[in-house]
Amino acid sequence: MRVVVIGSGIVGAAAAYYLTGRGATVTVVESGYRGQATGAGAGIVCPWVDHAEDDAWYQLTREGARDYPRLVEELGEDIGYAKVGALLVTEEPAELEQVRALLHRRYPEAPEMGEITDVPTPSELFPPLSDDLSAILVPGAARVNGCAVREALLRAAVARGAQVRTGIATLTPGGEVLLRPVGSGLHGTTGRTGSPAGPANDNATAGRAGPAEPAGPAGPVEAAKPAGPAGDDTTAGPADGGPADGGPADGGPTAGPAGGGTSAGSTTGGGTSAGPSGPLRGDATTARSAGPEVPAGPTAGALPGGRAGAGATGGPARAERTSESAGAEVTGGPAGADVPFRGGEQVAGAGSTSWRQATPLETTDAPLTGTGAHSFPGEGVPLDADIVLVAAGAWTGEVCRPLGAKLPVFPRRGQILHVTLEGIDTAWWPIVLPRIGPYLLGFPDSRVVIGATIEDVGFSPRVTMGGLGEVIKAGLQVAPGLLGATVAETRVGLRPVYAPGSALIGRLTSRVVVATGLSSYGLTAGPFTGRIAAALALGEEPPIDLTPYAPAIA
């Protein structure tokens, strides 16, 4: 069977891996759009504390977490996966009782979470934390290197014969795939404050940088095969220039303004610098201080209520979200308002028994960017496929629009910060999950990740002063010991959110399968979702009931 996978993020890479393992002939199409979510995810795997009121979401994330140890063993390489545990921290010990009850209720069906224990002094496990916090420890929680996972999956798929091609994939009304070169026929947006749209290099740096290099595929590539008739790049083989373990190359990332130097996520002299997320190509977008805002692609459809793209936010880094099961538009208050933002991607609200699940905030009006669709001259080059699997993240709605399917998938921007503590071993520090506020987690190389903002601003994959300021301010409130840490890099990603509720996994037509909408749980459930999508593409029974995730086609 010939399968074209549109999208090479963690879901598309996993789908390609499982499809080739079943003998399918697979072509992965990578667009090169900026803002893809995989590389900008923190890598937290701790599903048991969220979605207390949403069994479908919880099942998907729980099974995704449960599947990781098997996948790690199967891949046989370091993908940054480690069970470091998670500290649920708060200044009010009484706030821990609800989540403690939730965890005890879920433990019989999920013993992999481990025995929950009290931690009177969390700073003994995560030294920069405030001394005013109390915590409980979930020992089964893990962190993972999202880019390393994606690249390992793609390497394995390529080793089995898959091809990775760079280009813009569009569908015909009949579900055939047309491939166009990156940069062909891309027009400006129709949003209120948009600027020219189209793919751009994701290797933006955390300081000032020179001209961006051409965007390449997000997957691991070594030697390019002869270009096809569309002028695309066909790649095969493992990554060249990036370390296999996802650690930094050529001395690691630089910090702050670099005067032409690069930070993790950019390339210099063929070497790829990276932190815990591994070699950064198409998916990890870091901050760029120069040049106009470049929306990351077409609109992803209209939301309920007639608004195109995503819900507007009322200021940088101020957007909060509803519970994903509610599927409502969410925005924040005006910039500078004291609106907490979440770490897991959900902030707890009144009446919620989840640790970090949100309640709605009032909608305010603010500019959207990148809300117009692309138009493409010419016919494009057809790719032979019996089945098409669309795993294009926030761009999925636009990819599927020619089918007549109006999928309300929209982008939610998240900005995160990476800092380093020179000479400190942070590799086994636990994940820190406050009820309200930023998450923190340690990685090797003395690195700590802090995030993330939650912003419904359309296709605008850029780091902002307001967003970065909020991450720093809130992070220091939880962990004042990070005051002297070195800023290594910032990253930003557009998380795909499916407005009706939980994830979007299912068949759109007899030849098109869709898998997206994992929001901030992409690194938890992404590989498992790719496995589900591969089963659907092959006509096999998926490992779980997909009724709650089926497309609500308008």
Side-chain angles (χ1 to χ4, degrees), residues 517-538:
L518 296 181
S519 189
S520 63
Y521 300 93
L523 299 187
T524 299
F528 184 67
T529 300
R531 178 182 163 192
I532 294 170
L536 284 176
L538 296 172

Side-chain angles (χ1 to χ4, degrees), residues 123-548:
S123 59
E124 292 180 355
L125 298 179
F126 197 105
L129 288 177
S130 167
D131 291 332
D132 298 328
L133 299 174
S134 298
I136 58 177
L137 177 68
V138 184
R143 49 97 171 141
V144 69
N145 179 333
C147 284
V149 178
R150 181 195 66 214
E151 295 200 355
L153 290 165
L154 282 174
R155 273 193 294 271
V158 167
R160 295 168 174 170
Q163 292 185 338
V164 180
R165 302 183 70 169
T166 304
I168 307 300
T170 59
L171 296 178
T172 69
E176 292 81 16
V177 181
L178 300 178
L179 185 66
R180 295 173 172 85
V182 172
S184 67
L186 301 176
H187 294 274
T189 69
T190 58
R192 283 171 280 170
T193 60
S195 57
N201 179 24
D202 270 359
N203 294 337
T205 61
R208 300 196 57 167
E213 298 178 10
V221 296
E222 183 175 54
K225 293 184 178 180
D232 67 327
D233 295 326
T234 303
T235 62
D240 182 29
D245 63 358
D250 297 336
T254 61
T262 57
S263 69
S266 64
T267 56
T268 52
T272 303
S273 62
S277 294
L280 305 183
R281 293 184 185 80
D283 281 17
T285 305
T286 50
R288 173 156 34 205
S289 62
E293 175 181 322
V294 182
T299 177
L303 289 179
R307 299 186 62 185
T313 62
R318 286 317 204 177
E320 286 293 355
R321 65 189 296 279
T322 60
S323 166
E324 278 153 341
S325 60
E329 291 183 58
V330 189
T331 64
D338 289 329
V339 181
F341 65 95
R342 70 135 230 193
E345 159 130 340
Q346 298 183 340
V347 181
S352 172
T353 57
S354 296
W355 184 240
R356 300 175 70 79
Q357 214 159 2
T359 53
L361 300 180
E362 292 182 3
T363 299
T364 57
D365 219 12
L368 293 176
T369 60
T371 58
H374 293 320
S375 61
F376 299 93
E379 295 299 322
V381 175
L383 295 181
D384 293 334
D386 301 303
I387 294 291
V388 180
L389 198 162
V390 182
W395 296 265
T396 297
E398 187 63 27
V399 171
C400 295
R401 188 179 300 277
L403 302 173
K406 297 180 180 179
L407 302 178
V409 179
F410 66 94
R412 176 162 285 149
R413 185 169 72 189
Q415 304 180 48
I416 66 173
L417 175 67
H418 289 231
V419 301
T420 57
L421 294 166
E422 185 176 355
I424 305 297
D425 183 5
T426 58
W428 290 97
W429 285 6
I431 300 158
V432 175
L433 298 176
R435 181 169 174 81
I436 296 176
Y439 57 68
L440 302 95
L441 64 157
F443 279 93
D445 301 321
S446 302
R447 184 173 291 239
V448 175
V449 176
I450 311 162
T453 65
I454 304 164
E455 305 168 85
D456 293 339
V457 291
F459 288 88
S460 181
R462 59 192 182 92
V463 173
T464 65
M465 291 284 286
L468 184 58
E470 285 303 312
V471 172
I472 293 172
K473 177 182 176 182
L476 288 176
Q477 288 177 344
V478 176
L482 293 176
L483 184 63
T486 300
V487 174
E489 60 173 310
T490 53
R491 300 184 185 181
V492 60
L494 303 177
R495 302 171 177 131
V497 177
Y498 183 49
S502 45
L504 171 62
I505 312 169
R507 281 190 177 272
L508 288 182
T509 71
S510 60
R511 59 181 285 120
V512 178
V513 171
V514 64
T516 190
L518 296 181
S519 189
S520 63
Y521 300 93
L523 299 187
T524 299
F528 184 67
T529 300
R531 178 182 163 192
I532 294 170
L536 284 176
L538 296 172
E540 299 175 354
E541 187 71 20
I544 62 173
D545 177 18
L546 297 184
T547 303

